[in-house]
Amino acid sequence: MIEVENLTKFYGPTAAIEDVSFTVDRGQIVGFLGPNGAGKTTTLRILAGYLPATRGTARVAGFDVFKDSLAVRRRLGYLPENVPLYPEMRVRTYLDFVAEVKGVPRPERARRVAAAMERCRVDDAANHLIGTLSRGYRQRVGIAQAILHDPEVILLDEPTVGLDPKQIIEIRQLIRELAGQRTVILSTHILPEVEMICQRVIIINQGKIVAVDTPENLKAKVRTSATVLLQVDGPAAEVREQLQRVAGVLRVEERPDRADGRIRYLVQCALHRDLRRDLAAAVVGRGWGLYELRPADVMLEEVFIRLVTEELPHEQPTGQEGEQ
Amino acid sequence: MNVLAIFKREVRTYFTSPIAYTLLTIFAIICGFMFTSILAQFQRAGFQSAMNPSMAQGLNATEWVVRPLLRNVAVILLFLMPIVTMRLLAEERRTGTLELLFTFPIRDVELLGGKFLAALAIFLVMLALPLINILMLASLAPLEWQAIGVAFAGLMLLGMTFLAIGLFCSSLTENQIVAAVLTFGAALLFWIIDWSADSTGGTLGQVLSHLSIIRHFDSFQRGVIESKDLIFYLNFTVFGLFLTMRAVESHRWRG
Ligand SMILES: Nc1ncnc2c1ncn2[C@@H]1O[C@H](COP(=O)(O)OP(=O)(O)OP(=O)(O)O)[C@@H](O)[C@H]1O
Ligand SMILES: [Mg+2]
């Protein structure tokens, strides 16, 4: 449903996102997870047809977001980060306006507006001025606006930010209900939120995709292991076996290196156990050359830790890693 | 219709905020004031001409009241039109609603067209005010309606150039006041641009004097439609809207 390839956006000389690629299947709810400044908003804006990308392509429902912008925008509902609405308009009038701009035919308009209001539970505020609504209600009007024309794809940029716990639960419930046939991408920097509503997580950090997986897998990976990278001069199969034998090693992966022909091994170790000494001993003990030994790319872990610690103060009083 | 949706919302916004009422009230007061003072002069002249039969011809209400009134209206528009357009894009940029609008399935032309037409509608309502004064005059003296119609068409075209300048300036900033000041500055510059024409001379001088937005009003004020003036106003407006589109586009590129 959504295919993003090597998407890059430069603001002046600095890249907000770089070579971002991912795909999202129809009917999925995908969490776009990353700390502040990661590039979530930038990516969503490009998908929504607001920002042109510097490089790369993005397709929504088979249409290029840049070349076929109108076709994409007809199939897409978008809720920007700070929920920009017209404060001087009443909820119903506003939604009616949006429906008209989005090309909902006149006879259907009132029905669609009513349905969206009911769905997002803002019908009791239908005649209120948007400027007088509470934050939670505004957020829901924003979502109602996004789903008005029954789009195939919904993009929500931090839909729960700034809400109180009760409202957060309501909005999450609403998002879950919206899914089904629709494809939803929601950005957030709250880890548990993703676990609760998303089938898949795309983790982005400093403009780059760090991981794409199910929330369970990602958590398992981070929780149970740390990765060490070794470069060994020796017969591959034997090295592998030897490394595998070290106590605490979960898995060994080979990474042939193009440059010098030497093989690198990614060793996953049980968490909280520094196995570097044992690994080194295992290699050197067999007389093989040990050229490199270092903790592997810890991007994912780092991101998780940042996300988790950001989360701590307001939602995780017990301090457990991202659990409810 | 997308354009219509934008148009209706904009017009409604003019009247839900105090902008339209304030503008219309001030404009009505100034027009009324100018009308009465011009009329008083006219009546004085009429009284004198009754004393002095040699002046009796040529005392024509269209020429003596309507033309000066509309000329003055043109000047007032220079001051008031920036207020009509200042909000159109600047405010939506400030609040972020423009971002959302750009993700709706609507072309930039339709979006800007709707906004331009809404401002034009407000402007036409404004123009009704001097027309009311003139209708009052019609009960006192015979008028040349065709010439008056042409003069109003000229005012409308002149106003459209203000609107185009205003929409463009409103696309450049998030601040309504800045947009209004820019609009006023640019419109004033185009108003007086022919002042330097005589001293410049040559082709440049001709170009400068051709660019003056008020010089092209002269023929309309006299009650004749000259196609070159008509074309100038239309070109100016279309070009302004085109520039606005470009500005909006480039703003999006920069994010
Ligand atoms: N208009 C802009 N001009 C220049 N730089 C920008 C602009 N918009 C975003 N950036 C930069 O691009 C990077 C990505 O920003 P983006 O808003 O996409 O992050 P985000 O993941 O949405 O963050 P947050 O969680 O704070 O909303 C940031 O470093 C930001 O400073
Ligand atoms: Mg953001």
Side-chain angles (χ1 to χ4, degrees), chain A residues 9 11 45 49-52 70 73 78 80 84 86 88-89 93 97 100-102 145, chain B residues 2 5 8-9 12-13 92 95-97 99-100 102-104 106-107 252-255:
Chain A
K9 174 73 191 179
Y11 287 114
R45 280 180 164 173
Y50 173 66
L51 268 186
L70 276 182
R73 287 187 265 161
Y78 174 48
Y86 301 99
E88 77 281 358
M89 292 182 91
T93 336
F97 157 71
E100 194 175 352
V101 178
K102 288 187 171 181
Q145 160 281 126
Chain B
N2 298 339
K8 284 191 296 192
R9 201 200 74 79
R12 201 183 293 125
T13 310
E92 294 221 41
T95 60
T97 45
E99 172 181 350
L100 196 50
F102 277 137
T103 64
F104 290 165
I106 172 172
R107 286 179 194 38
R252 262 207 276 179
W253 274 100
R254 277 176 282 117

mmCIF file of all heavy atoms in Angstrom, chain A residues 9 11 45 49-52 70 73 78 80 84 86 88-89 93 97 100-102 145, chain B residues 2 5 8-9 12-13 92 95-97 99-100 102-104 106-107 252-255:
data_model
loop_
_atom_site.group_PDB
_atom_site.id
_atom_site.type_symbol
_atom_site.label_atom_id
_atom_site.label_comp_id
_atom_site.label_asym_id
_atom_site.label_seq_id
_atom_site.Cartn_x
_atom_site.Cartn_y
_atom_site.Cartn_z
ATOM 1 N N LYS A 9 15.485 13.863 2.298
ATOM 2 C CA LYS A 9 15.050 15.262 2.299
ATOM 3 C C LYS A 9 16.116 16.129 2.955
ATOM 4 O O LYS A 9 16.500 15.897 4.097
ATOM 5 C CB LYS A 9 13.728 15.407 3.052
ATOM 6 C CG LYS A 9 13.266 16.832 3.239
ATOM 7 C CD LYS A 9 12.770 17.428 1.951
ATOM 8 C CE LYS A 9 12.567 18.925 2.075
ATOM 9 N NZ LYS A 9 12.115 19.530 0.818
ATOM 10 N N TYR A 11 17.203 19.865 4.240
ATOM 11 C CA TYR A 11 16.872 21.261 4.538
ATOM 12 C C TYR A 11 18.182 22.016 4.453
ATOM 13 O O TYR A 11 19.006 21.891 5.359
ATOM 14 C CB TYR A 11 16.286 21.407 5.930
ATOM 15 C CG TYR A 11 14.882 20.881 6.063
ATOM 16 C CD1 TYR A 11 14.597 19.781 6.848
ATOM 17 C CD2 TYR A 11 13.831 21.499 5.390
ATOM 18 C CE1 TYR A 11 13.317 19.299 6.976
ATOM 19 C CE2 TYR A 11 12.541 21.026 5.511
ATOM 20 C CZ TYR A 11 12.293 19.932 6.305
ATOM 21 O OH TYR A 11 11.014 19.463 6.423
ATOM 22 N N ARG A 45 5.115 14.120 6.048
ATOM 23 C CA ARG A 45 4.769 15.245 5.181
ATOM 24 C C ARG A 45 5.017 14.915 3.718
ATOM 25 O O ARG A 45 4.253 15.304 2.848
ATOM 26 C CB ARG A 45 5.604 16.471 5.554
ATOM 27 C CG ARG A 45 5.061 17.193 6.755
ATOM 28 C CD ARG A 45 5.939 18.375 7.061
ATOM 29 N NE ARG A 45 5.259 19.290 7.965
ATOM 30 C CZ ARG A 45 5.832 20.339 8.505
ATOM 31 N NH1 ARG A 45 7.098 20.623 8.224
ATOM 32 N NH2 ARG A 45 5.159 21.130 9.308
ATOM 33 N N GLY A 49 2.106 14.402 0.611
ATOM 34 C CA GLY A 49 2.110 15.266 -0.568
ATOM 35 C C GLY A 49 2.331 16.721 -0.238
ATOM 36 O O GLY A 49 2.114 17.591 -1.075
ATOM 37 N N TYR A 50 2.752 17.012 0.985
ATOM 38 C CA TYR A 50 2.973 18.422 1.337
ATOM 39 C C TYR A 50 4.395 18.853 0.981
ATOM 40 O O TYR A 50 4.595 19.903 0.368
ATOM 41 C CB TYR A 50 2.695 18.637 2.819
ATOM 42 C CG TYR A 50 3.066 20.012 3.301
ATOM 43 C CD1 TYR A 50 2.384 21.130 2.831
ATOM 44 C CD2 TYR A 50 4.093 20.197 4.224
ATOM 45 C CE1 TYR A 50 2.737 22.395 3.257
ATOM 46 C CE2 TYR A 50 4.444 21.457 4.653
ATOM 47 C CZ TYR A 50 3.766 22.552 4.172
ATOM 48 O OH TYR A 50 4.124 23.803 4.593
ATOM 49 N N LEU A 51 5.370 18.016 1.356
ATOM 50 C CA LEU A 51 6.767 18.348 1.070
ATOM 51 C C LEU A 51 7.250 17.528 -0.111
ATOM 52 O O LEU A 51 7.024 16.328 -0.142
ATOM 53 C CB LEU A 51 7.641 17.964 2.263
ATOM 54 C CG LEU A 51 7.967 18.930 3.365
ATOM 55 C CD1 LEU A 51 8.970 18.281 4.288
ATOM 56 C CD2 LEU A 51 8.529 20.211 2.810
ATOM 57 N N PRO A 52 7.929 18.125 -1.050
ATOM 58 C CA PRO A 52 8.580 17.317 -2.070
ATOM 59 C C PRO A 52 9.894 16.763 -1.509
ATOM 60 O O PRO A 52 10.587 17.467 -0.775
ATOM 61 C CB PRO A 52 8.867 18.308 -3.197
ATOM 62 C CG PRO A 52 8.333 19.630 -2.737
ATOM 63 C CD PRO A 52 8.081 19.558 -1.279
ATOM 64 N N LEU A 70 -2.317 14.464 -6.676
ATOM 65 C CA LEU A 70 -3.763 14.562 -6.434
ATOM 66 C C LEU A 70 -4.386 13.190 -6.202
ATOM 67 O O LEU A 70 -5.211 13.023 -5.304
ATOM 68 C CB LEU A 70 -4.451 15.257 -7.608
ATOM 69 C CG LEU A 70 -4.442 16.780 -7.587
ATOM 70 C CD1 LEU A 70 -5.201 17.319 -8.785
ATOM 71 C CD2 LEU A 70 -5.058 17.316 -6.308
ATOM 72 N N ARG A 73 -3.530 12.174 -2.779
ATOM 73 C CA ARG A 73 -4.224 12.947 -1.737
ATOM 74 C C ARG A 73 -5.695 12.569 -1.649
ATOM 75 O O ARG A 73 -6.311 12.705 -0.595
ATOM 76 C CB ARG A 73 -4.069 14.440 -2.018
ATOM 77 C CG ARG A 73 -2.647 14.911 -1.702
ATOM 78 C CD ARG A 73 -2.526 16.397 -1.818
ATOM 79 N NE ARG A 73 -2.051 16.808 -3.119
ATOM 80 C CZ ARG A 73 -2.191 18.035 -3.599
ATOM 81 N NH1 ARG A 73 -2.808 18.956 -2.887
ATOM 82 N NH2 ARG A 73 -1.741 18.349 -4.791
ATOM 83 N N TYR A 78 -4.748 12.853 6.536
ATOM 84 C CA TYR A 78 -3.527 13.233 7.235
ATOM 85 C C TYR A 78 -3.865 14.108 8.430
ATOM 86 O O TYR A 78 -4.658 15.035 8.325
ATOM 87 C CB TYR A 78 -2.616 13.974 6.250
ATOM 88 C CG TYR A 78 -1.350 14.576 6.839
ATOM 89 C CD1 TYR A 78 -0.517 13.840 7.661
ATOM 90 C CD2 TYR A 78 -0.996 15.890 6.529
ATOM 91 C CE1 TYR A 78 0.646 14.398 8.168
ATOM 92 C CE2 TYR A 78 0.165 16.451 7.024
ATOM 93 C CZ TYR A 78 0.986 15.699 7.844
ATOM 94 O OH TYR A 78 2.135 16.261 8.336
ATOM 95 N N PRO A 80 -1.760 16.447 10.806
ATOM 96 C CA PRO A 80 -0.438 17.014 11.111
ATOM 97 C C PRO A 80 -0.183 17.049 12.614
ATOM 98 O O PRO A 80 -1.101 16.947 13.427
ATOM 99 C CB PRO A 80 -0.503 18.427 10.537
ATOM 100 C CG PRO A 80 -1.633 18.421 9.575
ATOM 101 C CD PRO A 80 -2.611 17.425 10.123
ATOM 102 N N PRO A 84 -3.609 21.492 13.171
ATOM 103 C CA PRO A 84 -4.031 22.827 12.768
ATOM 104 C C PRO A 84 -5.490 22.838 12.301
ATOM 105 O O PRO A 84 -5.838 22.190 11.324
ATOM 106 C CB PRO A 84 -3.084 23.149 11.594
ATOM 107 C CG PRO A 84 -2.674 21.829 11.051
ATOM 108 C CD PRO A 84 -2.768 20.834 12.151
ATOM 109 N N TYR A 86 -9.257 25.500 12.221
ATOM 110 C CA TYR A 86 -9.674 26.899 12.236
ATOM 111 C C TYR A 86 -10.458 27.179 13.513
ATOM 112 O O TYR A 86 -11.584 26.690 13.658
ATOM 113 C CB TYR A 86 -10.537 27.219 11.023
ATOM 114 C CG TYR A 86 -9.836 26.962 9.723
ATOM 115 C CD1 TYR A 86 -10.057 25.800 9.001
ATOM 116 C CD2 TYR A 86 -8.934 27.890 9.202
ATOM 117 C CE1 TYR A 86 -9.402 25.563 7.807
ATOM 118 C CE2 TYR A 86 -8.274 27.661 8.012
ATOM 119 C CZ TYR A 86 -8.515 26.499 7.317
ATOM 120 O OH TYR A 86 -7.864 26.260 6.147
ATOM 121 N N GLU A 88 -12.078 29.626 14.587
ATOM 122 C CA GLU A 88 -13.303 30.430 14.525
ATOM 123 C C GLU A 88 -14.469 29.651 13.900
ATOM 124 O O GLU A 88 -15.571 30.177 13.788
ATOM 125 C CB GLU A 88 -13.041 31.729 13.752
ATOM 126 C CG GLU A 88 -12.966 31.607 12.238
ATOM 127 C CD GLU A 88 -11.627 31.064 11.719
ATOM 128 O OE1 GLU A 88 -10.739 30.811 12.547
ATOM 129 O OE2 GLU A 88 -11.496 30.886 10.500
ATOM 130 N N MET A 89 -14.198 28.389 13.507
ATOM 131 C CA MET A 89 -15.278 27.622 12.887
ATOM 132 C C MET A 89 -15.892 26.646 13.881
ATOM 133 O O MET A 89 -15.250 26.218 14.841
ATOM 134 C CB MET A 89 -14.744 26.834 11.684
ATOM 135 C CG MET A 89 -14.337 27.704 10.531
ATOM 136 S SD MET A 89 -13.764 26.719 9.138
ATOM 137 C CE MET A 89 -15.277 26.491 8.236
ATOM 138 N N THR A 93 -19.485 22.732 10.817
ATOM 139 C CA THR A 93 -19.202 23.568 9.644
ATOM 140 C C THR A 93 -17.827 23.244 9.086
ATOM 141 O O THR A 93 -17.636 23.170 7.870
ATOM 142 C CB THR A 93 -19.223 25.063 10.025
ATOM 143 O OG1 THR A 93 -20.010 25.229 11.180
ATOM 144 C CG2 THR A 93 -19.735 25.902 8.891
ATOM 145 N N PHE A 97 -16.928 21.731 5.476
ATOM 146 C CA PHE A 97 -15.984 22.393 4.569
ATOM 147 C C PHE A 97 -14.948 21.399 4.053
ATOM 148 O O PHE A 97 -14.693 21.303 2.847
ATOM 149 C CB PHE A 97 -15.312 23.560 5.304
ATOM 150 C CG PHE A 97 -13.985 23.980 4.727
ATOM 151 C CD1 PHE A 97 -13.920 24.625 3.504
ATOM 152 C CD2 PHE A 97 -12.808 23.730 5.414
ATOM 153 C CE1 PHE A 97 -12.696 25.005 2.974
ATOM 154 C CE2 PHE A 97 -11.585 24.106 4.891
ATOM 155 C CZ PHE A 97 -11.528 24.743 3.668
ATOM 156 N N GLU A 100 -16.324 19.052 1.556
ATOM 157 C CA GLU A 100 -16.539 19.674 0.252
ATOM 158 C C GLU A 100 -15.211 19.802 -0.499
ATOM 159 O O GLU A 100 -15.125 19.486 -1.685
ATOM 160 C CB GLU A 100 -17.200 21.052 0.418
ATOM 161 C CG GLU A 100 -17.745 21.591 -0.888
ATOM 162 C CD GLU A 100 -18.507 22.905 -0.711
ATOM 163 O OE1 GLU A 100 -18.738 23.306 0.440
ATOM 164 O OE2 GLU A 100 -18.845 23.515 -1.735
ATOM 165 N N VAL A 101 -14.178 20.265 0.194
ATOM 166 C CA VAL A 101 -12.877 20.388 -0.473
ATOM 167 C C VAL A 101 -12.386 19.025 -0.928
ATOM 168 O O VAL A 101 -11.782 18.887 -1.994
ATOM 169 C CB VAL A 101 -11.829 21.024 0.470
ATOM 170 C CG1 VAL A 101 -10.473 21.090 -0.222
ATOM 171 C CG2 VAL A 101 -12.251 22.415 0.873
ATOM 172 N N LYS A 102 -12.655 18.016 -0.125
ATOM 173 C CA LYS A 102 -12.177 16.690 -0.490
ATOM 174 C C LYS A 102 -13.055 16.040 -1.551
ATOM 175 O O LYS A 102 -12.823 14.891 -1.927
ATOM 176 C CB LYS A 102 -12.112 15.802 0.754
ATOM 177 C CG LYS A 102 -10.975 16.194 1.684
ATOM 178 C CD LYS A 102 -10.810 15.219 2.818
ATOM 179 C CE LYS A 102 -9.535 15.517 3.601
ATOM 180 N NZ LYS A 102 -9.322 14.570 4.703
ATOM 181 N N GLN A 145 -11.539 14.743 10.581
ATOM 182 C CA GLN A 145 -11.204 15.424 9.333
ATOM 183 C C GLN A 145 -10.412 14.513 8.404
ATOM 184 O O GLN A 145 -10.621 14.495 7.189
ATOM 185 C CB GLN A 145 -10.447 16.700 9.707
ATOM 186 C CG GLN A 145 -9.599 17.359 8.673
ATOM 187 C CD GLN A 145 -8.267 16.691 8.497
ATOM 188 O OE1 GLN A 145 -7.909 16.332 7.399
ATOM 189 N NE2 GLN A 145 -7.537 16.477 9.583
ATOM 190 N N ASN B 2 -14.340 22.440 -5.468
ATOM 191 C CA ASN B 2 -13.314 22.795 -4.493
ATOM 192 C C ASN B 2 -13.172 24.302 -4.322
ATOM 193 O O ASN B 2 -13.084 24.808 -3.219
ATOM 194 C CB ASN B 2 -11.962 22.247 -4.940
ATOM 195 C CG ASN B 2 -11.988 20.742 -5.013
ATOM 196 O OD1 ASN B 2 -12.837 20.112 -4.386
ATOM 197 N ND2 ASN B 2 -11.098 20.186 -5.779
ATOM 198 N N ALA B 5 -15.822 25.737 -2.243
ATOM 199 C CA ALA B 5 -15.667 25.437 -0.811
ATOM 200 C C ALA B 5 -14.698 26.435 -0.170
ATOM 201 O O ALA B 5 -14.984 26.995 0.891
ATOM 202 C CB ALA B 5 -15.159 24.011 -0.631
ATOM 203 N N LYS B 8 -16.327 29.944 -0.077
ATOM 204 C CA LYS B 8 -17.351 30.118 0.963
ATOM 205 C C LYS B 8 -16.733 30.239 2.346
ATOM 206 O O LYS B 8 -17.134 31.060 3.153
ATOM 207 C CB LYS B 8 -18.328 28.922 0.935
ATOM 208 C CG LYS B 8 -19.319 28.985 -0.199
ATOM 209 C CD LYS B 8 -20.415 27.941 -0.033
ATOM 210 C CE LYS B 8 -19.853 26.548 -0.100
ATOM 211 N NZ LYS B 8 -20.877 25.507 -0.217
ATOM 212 N N ARG B 9 -15.713 29.421 2.602
ATOM 213 C CA ARG B 9 -15.091 29.479 3.917
ATOM 214 C C ARG B 9 -14.420 30.832 4.152
ATOM 215 O O ARG B 9 -14.528 31.412 5.223
ATOM 216 C CB ARG B 9 -14.068 28.362 4.081
ATOM 217 C CG ARG B 9 -13.762 28.040 5.535
ATOM 218 C CD ARG B 9 -12.448 27.325 5.690
ATOM 219 N NE ARG B 9 -11.339 28.222 5.496
ATOM 220 C CZ ARG B 9 -10.904 29.080 6.418
ATOM 221 N NH1 ARG B 9 -11.485 29.119 7.594
ATOM 222 N NH2 ARG B 9 -9.915 29.893 6.163
ATOM 223 N N ARG B 12 -16.981 33.520 4.758
ATOM 224 C CA ARG B 12 -17.534 33.374 6.098
ATOM 225 C C ARG B 12 -16.549 33.896 7.144
ATOM 226 O O ARG B 12 -16.934 34.554 8.101
ATOM 227 C CB ARG B 12 -17.857 31.895 6.356
ATOM 228 C CG ARG B 12 -18.873 31.719 7.468
ATOM 229 C CD ARG B 12 -19.123 30.253 7.763
ATOM 230 N NE ARG B 12 -19.784 29.540 6.696
ATOM 231 C CZ ARG B 12 -19.289 28.430 6.134
ATOM 232 N NH1 ARG B 12 -18.151 27.933 6.535
ATOM 233 N NH2 ARG B 12 -19.954 27.825 5.186
ATOM 234 N N THR B 13 -15.272 33.613 6.919
ATOM 235 C CA THR B 13 -14.264 34.069 7.882
ATOM 236 C C THR B 13 -14.203 35.592 7.940
ATOM 237 O O THR B 13 -14.035 36.165 9.013
ATOM 238 C CB THR B 13 -12.879 33.512 7.506
ATOM 239 O OG1 THR B 13 -13.003 32.118 7.293
ATOM 240 C CG2 THR B 13 -11.881 33.762 8.602
ATOM 241 N N GLU B 92 -2.959 31.438 7.668
ATOM 242 C CA GLU B 92 -2.978 29.977 7.538
ATOM 243 C C GLU B 92 -1.571 29.407 7.636
ATOM 244 O O GLU B 92 -1.380 28.272 8.050
ATOM 245 C CB GLU B 92 -3.612 29.565 6.209
ATOM 246 C CG GLU B 92 -5.079 29.941 6.154
ATOM 247 C CD GLU B 92 -5.924 28.848 5.520
ATOM 248 O OE1 GLU B 92 -5.674 27.668 5.802
ATOM 249 O OE2 GLU B 92 -6.826 29.192 4.751
ATOM 250 N N THR B 95 -0.803 29.456 11.552
ATOM 251 C CA THR B 95 -1.469 28.442 12.366
ATOM 252 C C THR B 95 -1.206 27.032 11.846
ATOM 253 O O THR B 95 -1.540 26.069 12.522
ATOM 254 C CB THR B 95 -2.990 28.661 12.379
ATOM 255 O OG1 THR B 95 -3.458 28.587 11.028
ATOM 256 C CG2 THR B 95 -3.343 30.010 12.952
ATOM 257 N N GLY B 96 -0.643 26.898 10.658
ATOM 258 C CA GLY B 96 -0.339 25.570 10.134
ATOM 259 C C GLY B 96 -1.470 24.957 9.339
ATOM 260 O O GLY B 96 -1.335 23.854 8.812
ATOM 261 N N THR B 97 -2.615 25.649 9.254
ATOM 262 C CA THR B 97 -3.733 25.065 8.512
ATOM 263 C C THR B 97 -3.422 24.953 7.022
ATOM 264 O O THR B 97 -4.012 24.137 6.333
ATOM 265 C CB THR B 97 -5.019 25.895 8.692
ATOM 266 O OG1 THR B 97 -4.693 27.274 8.535
ATOM 267 C CG2 THR B 97 -5.613 25.675 10.056
ATOM 268 N N GLU B 99 -0.739 23.786 5.760
ATOM 269 C CA GLU B 99 -0.150 22.468 5.539
ATOM 270 C C GLU B 99 -1.239 21.433 5.280
ATOM 271 O O GLU B 99 -1.154 20.636 4.348
ATOM 272 C CB GLU B 99 0.684 22.052 6.758
ATOM 273 C CG GLU B 99 1.165 20.613 6.669
ATOM 274 C CD GLU B 99 1.975 20.167 7.879
ATOM 275 O OE1 GLU B 99 2.324 21.017 8.707
ATOM 276 O OE2 GLU B 99 2.256 18.969 7.975
ATOM 277 N N LEU B 100 -2.261 21.494 6.108
ATOM 278 C CA LEU B 100 -3.361 20.543 5.961
ATOM 279 C C LEU B 100 -4.083 20.775 4.630
ATOM 280 O O LEU B 100 -4.402 19.847 3.904
ATOM 281 C CB LEU B 100 -4.319 20.713 7.139
ATOM 282 C CG LEU B 100 -5.314 19.587 7.370
ATOM 283 C CD1 LEU B 100 -4.632 18.235 7.389
ATOM 284 C CD2 LEU B 100 -6.053 19.816 8.674
ATOM 285 N N PHE B 102 -2.939 21.897 1.944
ATOM 286 C CA PHE B 102 -2.132 21.423 0.820
ATOM 287 C C PHE B 102 -2.171 19.908 0.669
ATOM 288 O O PHE B 102 -1.757 19.374 -0.338
ATOM 289 C CB PHE B 102 -0.679 21.871 0.977
ATOM 290 C CG PHE B 102 -0.439 23.258 0.496
ATOM 291 C CD1 PHE B 102 0.345 24.138 1.217
ATOM 292 C CD2 PHE B 102 -1.002 23.698 -0.689
ATOM 293 C CE1 PHE B 102 0.561 25.426 0.781
ATOM 294 C CE2 PHE B 102 -0.782 24.983 -1.142
ATOM 295 C CZ PHE B 102 -0.006 25.846 -0.405
ATOM 296 N N THR B 103 -2.622 19.208 1.717
ATOM 297 C CA THR B 103 -2.703 17.756 1.582
ATOM 298 C C THR B 103 -4.113 17.323 1.194
ATOM 299 O O THR B 103 -4.382 16.145 1.059
ATOM 300 C CB THR B 103 -2.308 17.043 2.889
ATOM 301 O OG1 THR B 103 -3.250 17.393 3.898
ATOM 302 C CG2 THR B 103 -0.928 17.451 3.326
ATOM 303 N N PHE B 104 -5.011 18.283 1.025
ATOM 304 C CA PHE B 104 -6.330 17.947 0.518
ATOM 305 C C PHE B 104 -6.245 17.800 -1.000
ATOM 306 O O PHE B 104 -5.376 18.413 -1.629
ATOM 307 C CB PHE B 104 -7.344 19.049 0.868
ATOM 308 C CG PHE B 104 -7.694 19.128 2.332
ATOM 309 C CD1 PHE B 104 -8.338 20.235 2.847
ATOM 310 C CD2 PHE B 104 -7.379 18.087 3.184
ATOM 311 C CE1 PHE B 104 -8.653 20.320 4.200
ATOM 312 C CE2 PHE B 104 -7.689 18.163 4.537
ATOM 313 C CZ PHE B 104 -8.330 19.280 5.036
ATOM 314 N N ILE B 106 -6.754 19.084 -3.782
ATOM 315 C CA ILE B 106 -7.150 20.335 -4.438
ATOM 316 C C ILE B 106 -5.904 20.950 -5.040
ATOM 317 O O ILE B 106 -4.829 20.920 -4.445
ATOM 318 C CB ILE B 106 -7.816 21.289 -3.421
ATOM 319 C CG1 ILE B 106 -8.064 22.660 -4.031
ATOM 320 C CG2 ILE B 106 -7.011 21.418 -2.148
ATOM 321 C CD1 ILE B 106 -8.894 23.560 -3.145
ATOM 322 N N ARG B 107 -6.037 21.482 -6.246
ATOM 323 C CA ARG B 107 -4.875 22.083 -6.910
ATOM 324 C C ARG B 107 -4.564 23.435 -6.286
ATOM 325 O O ARG B 107 -5.469 24.102 -5.767
ATOM 326 C CB ARG B 107 -5.170 22.313 -8.388
ATOM 327 C CG ARG B 107 -5.173 21.071 -9.252
ATOM 328 C CD ARG B 107 -5.517 21.488 -10.682
ATOM 329 N NE ARG B 107 -5.885 20.480 -11.607
ATOM 330 C CZ ARG B 107 -6.612 19.374 -11.463
ATOM 331 N NH1 ARG B 107 -7.011 19.138 -10.551
ATOM 332 N NH2 ARG B 107 -6.943 18.480 -12.286
ATOM 333 N N ARG B 252 6.856 25.558 -0.105
ATOM 334 C CA ARG B 252 6.708 24.140 0.201
ATOM 335 C C ARG B 252 8.013 23.399 0.015
ATOM 336 O O ARG B 252 8.343 22.503 0.771
ATOM 337 C CB ARG B 252 5.657 23.540 -0.714
ATOM 338 C CG ARG B 252 4.331 23.465 -0.029
ATOM 339 C CD ARG B 252 3.522 22.362 -0.598
ATOM 340 N NE ARG B 252 2.833 22.804 -1.781
ATOM 341 C CZ ARG B 252 2.046 21.984 -2.481
ATOM 342 N NH1 ARG B 252 1.899 20.747 -2.107
ATOM 343 N NH2 ARG B 252 1.440 22.427 -3.526
ATOM 344 N N TRP B 253 8.754 23.775 -1.028
ATOM 345 C CA TRP B 253 10.035 23.105 -1.253
ATOM 346 C C TRP B 253 10.962 23.294 -0.074
ATOM 347 O O TRP B 253 11.690 22.399 0.310
ATOM 348 C CB TRP B 253 10.717 23.672 -2.513
ATOM 349 C CG TRP B 253 10.273 22.992 -3.739
ATOM 350 C CD1 TRP B 253 9.350 23.444 -4.636
ATOM 351 C CD2 TRP B 253 10.703 21.722 -4.230
ATOM 352 N NE1 TRP B 253 9.189 22.532 -5.630
ATOM 353 C CE2 TRP B 253 10.010 21.464 -5.410
ATOM 354 C CE3 TRP B 253 11.621 20.775 -3.762
ATOM 355 C CZ2 TRP B 253 10.193 20.306 -6.144
ATOM 356 C CZ3 TRP B 253 11.806 19.622 -4.493
ATOM 357 C CH2 TRP B 253 11.092 19.392 -5.674
ATOM 358 N N ARG B 254 10.927 24.502 0.470
ATOM 359 C CA ARG B 254 11.832 24.763 1.591
ATOM 360 C C ARG B 254 11.319 24.155 2.877
ATOM 361 O O ARG B 254 12.046 23.982 3.832
ATOM 362 C CB ARG B 254 12.028 26.275 1.745
ATOM 363 C CG ARG B 254 13.081 26.810 0.792
ATOM 364 C CD ARG B 254 13.204 28.296 0.886
ATOM 365 N NE ARG B 254 12.147 28.995 0.186
ATOM 366 C CZ ARG B 254 11.268 29.784 0.757
ATOM 367 N NH1 ARG B 254 11.310 29.991 2.046
ATOM 368 N NH2 ARG B 254 10.347 30.375 0.042
ATOM 369 N N GLY B 255 10.015 23.843 2.898
ATOM 370 C CA GLY B 255 9.439 23.143 4.052
ATOM 371 C C GLY B 255 9.031 24.041 5.167
ATOM 372 O O GLY B 255 9.591 25.045 5.457
#
